[in-house]
Amino acid sequence: MSSGTSAVQTPKAFKPRIFSGIQPSGGLTLGNYLGALKRFVEKQDEGIETIYCLVDMHAITTWQDPAKLRHATREGAAAFIAAGIDPKRSILFNQSQVGAHAELGWIFNCVARMGWMSRMTQFKDKAGKNSENVSLGLFAYPALMAADILVYHATMVPVGEDQKQHLELTRDIAIKFNNDYGVSFFPVVEPLIEGAATRVMSLRDGSKKMSKSDPSDQSRINLTDDADAIAQKIRKAKTDPEPLPETAEGLKDRPEAKNLVNIYAALSGQSVAEVVAEYAGAQFGSFKPKLVELAVAKLSPITTEMNRLMADPGEIDRILADGAERADALARPILEQVYDITGMIRSRWR
Ligand code: TYM
């Protein structure tokens, strides 16, 4: 509800800061790598301040076996580092170690509206016909996601296409909070959804997103897959009988063909038009081995490095603890201001 007190002040300038997160609800896929991780590394290397998080509190919105969650969190951290995240230059940590996320998440539960949450397509997809039986956390999930970002006053969020609606909600929460309290406290974040692989599709069904939760392992390439598994999955990937088209427009209405070309483009750093120009008229029988070669060349070093890092879980835990400490130092003062704005007495903390 609007407080109706003072008018919103002109937004103050926020310094560029990137936040993004990945759920450790299973092993990471090629979709996570191309849509998120690879771009996280690019942003770090551009010299922007980058904060990256394994969102374990989000993961438990659906049941997670505790031992598997712990393993997936460490494996996720290993994937970040193996892909090129430098834990000294970026902040890398797991969400539950920084309590400010959950604390601001609660406040945002009181800002976000039931109607907004009910319109979230990801909630509808995940809940399906079972919406009476899913956790309350799954419903409130996007408010915690908004807190993840806004507790750092992050201004830019690199994500895949499927997170667009959640980021629009993050903007709505920031605007409503600012309006309700008559402040210009939270930035209105910018989603960074860029590149050829913002939506990598299942290898078995070009109408479905590649996902770590798909029951078919053949539908995805996992970052833990070895060269043989990658080759076998790409060879078996669904395609159509037509050769590759002369132009990128020719991929329209050919979802499986388009997906493989997009993956090739994202892995090679070329545009889709360049890939199509190179392979115009080629049959998938000759394109797929090229894609296998490229995917193995790009992904195998990451898998090898992940395995090396996973041999020393203590070191991963130390990296996460260090990241959490640095994240906490940024988040705490911002959260304290939120408490102040909302009228909470914080005498214990002063
Ligand atoms: P999650 O864990 O499902 O996915 C992590 C990131 O990977 C991207 N992604 C994909 N990109 C392209 N093609 C695909 N098939 C594909 N599958 C996944 C996602 O878009 C995402 O960028 N809600 C988030 C996690 C989150 C978060 C945040 C993200 C929590 N708090 C704050 C950004 C900022 C999620 O479930 O992502």
Side-chain angles (χ1 to χ4, degrees), residues 148 192 323:
D148 295 338
L192 302 178

Side-chain angles (χ1 to χ4, degrees), residues 289-301:
K290 295 285 181 195
L291 180 57
V292 168
E293 205 179 299
L294 176 65
V296 169
K298 295 287 177 181
L299 300 178
S300 286

Side-chain angles (χ1 to χ4, degrees), residues 32 67 107 131 163 260 291 325 349:
N32 297 127
I107 293 175
S131 64
Q163 296 302 314
L260 295 186
L291 180 57
E325 218 166 284
W349 297 91

Side-chain angles (χ1 to χ4, degrees), residues 34-349:
L34 293 177
L37 252 187
K38 184 169 182 289
R39 295 176 43 244
F40 296 174
V41 177
E42 287 161 10
K43 295 297 163 195
Q44 167 195 272
D45 294 346
E46 282 169 28
I48 308 171
E49 188 181 4
T50 40
I51 307 171
Y52 296 126
C53 186
L54 290 144
V55 289
D56 46 9
M57 307 275 277
H58 275 110
I60 62 162
T61 56
T62 57
W63 164 254
Q64 302 296 325
D65 174 85
K68 286 188 184 152
L69 177 62
R70 217 169 277 130
H71 177 83
T73 305
R74 291 191 182 119
E75 194 177 80
F80 271 79
I81 299 166
I85 294 299
D86 171 355
K88 295 244 163 349
R89 279 192 289 155
S90 291
I91 293 181
L92 176 63
F93 69 108
N94 58 313
Q95 187 184 28
S96 61
Q97 297 213 66
V98 180
H101 291 238
E103 289 176 65
L104 185 59
W106 177 258
I107 293 175
F108 285 171
N109 281 345
C110 304
V111 173
R113 307 289 92 181
M114 293 287 285
W116 299 359
M117 301 310 221
S118 325
R119 285 192 282 278
M120 292 295 113
T121 53
Q122 200 158 74
F123 174 75
K124 288 193 256 186
D125 289 349
K126 282 197 179 175
K129 292 193 184 74
N130 199 24
S131 64
E132 288 291 309
N133 251 329
V134 295
S135 73
L136 187 54
L138 190 69
F139 189 67
Y141 179 114
L144 179 60
M145 178 162 162
D148 295 338
I149 299 163
L150 294 172
V151 84
Y152 299 99
H153 277 177
T155 56
M156 290 171 287
V157 187
V159 283
E161 177 68 38
D162 62 337
Q163 296 302 314
K164 189 168 178 229
Q165 197 188 28
H166 288 159
L167 291 182
E168 279 158 10
L169 188 101
T170 300
R171 291 162 69 99
D172 289 342
I173 289 177
I175 292 167
K176 181 160 165 54
F177 181 95
N178 287 348
N179 263 310
D180 284 355
Y181 291 99
V183 291
S184 57
F185 186 70
F186 285 120
V188 178
V189 299
E190 192 193 330
L192 302 178
I193 302 171
E194 303 158 328
T198 57
R199 191 171 175 81
V200 177
M201 307 310 279
S202 155
L203 298 178
R204 308 301 303 154
D205 177 351
S207 68
K208 272 179 31 194
K209 186 184 79 165
M210 183 182 286
S211 162
K212 44 187 171 247
S213 58
D214 192 312
S216 161
D217 193 57
Q218 289 296 318
S219 70
R220 63 179 161 262
I221 292 173
N222 305 297
L223 286 190
T224 48
D225 284 346
D226 61 20
D228 287 346
I230 294 173
Q232 187 263 358
K233 287 176 181 179
I234 293 177
R235 257 189 266 117
K236 285 209 168 149
K238 193 174 162 201
T239 43
D240 56 43
E242 302 299 316
L244 280 154
E246 303 291 324
T247 63
E249 290 74 62
L251 289 168
K252 200 169 160 274
D253 303 325
R254 295 180 61 189
E256 284 89 11
K258 186 174 176 190
N259 190 37
L260 295 186
V261 172
N262 283 351
I263 292 173
Y264 190 103
L267 282 171
S268 67
Q270 289 168 287
S271 69
V272 170
E274 283 166 340
V275 177
V276 171
E278 193 177 332
Y279 290 100
Q283 295 292 336
F284 276 96
S286 57
F287 179 73
K288 279 182 171 179
K290 295 285 181 195
L291 180 57
V292 168
E293 205 179 299
L294 176 65
V296 169
K298 295 287 177 181
L299 300 178
S300 286
I302 298 177
T303 312
T304 307
E305 181 62 2
M306 275 172 74
N307 290 337
R308 193 189 67 77
L309 291 161
M310 283 301 278
D312 188 357
E315 177 58 14
I316 295 179
D317 290 2
R318 275 189 292 280
I319 290 170
L320 292 174
D322 174 68
E325 218 166 284
R326 285 152 60 210
D328 191 68
L330 296 175
R332 248 319 124 187
I334 294 177
L335 181 67
E336 280 306 320
Q337 289 180 70
V338 176
Y339 281 133
D340 191 46
I341 291 168
T342 50
M344 311 279 176
I345 292 171
R346 301 290 290 172
S347 45
R348 192 187 140 204
W349 297 91

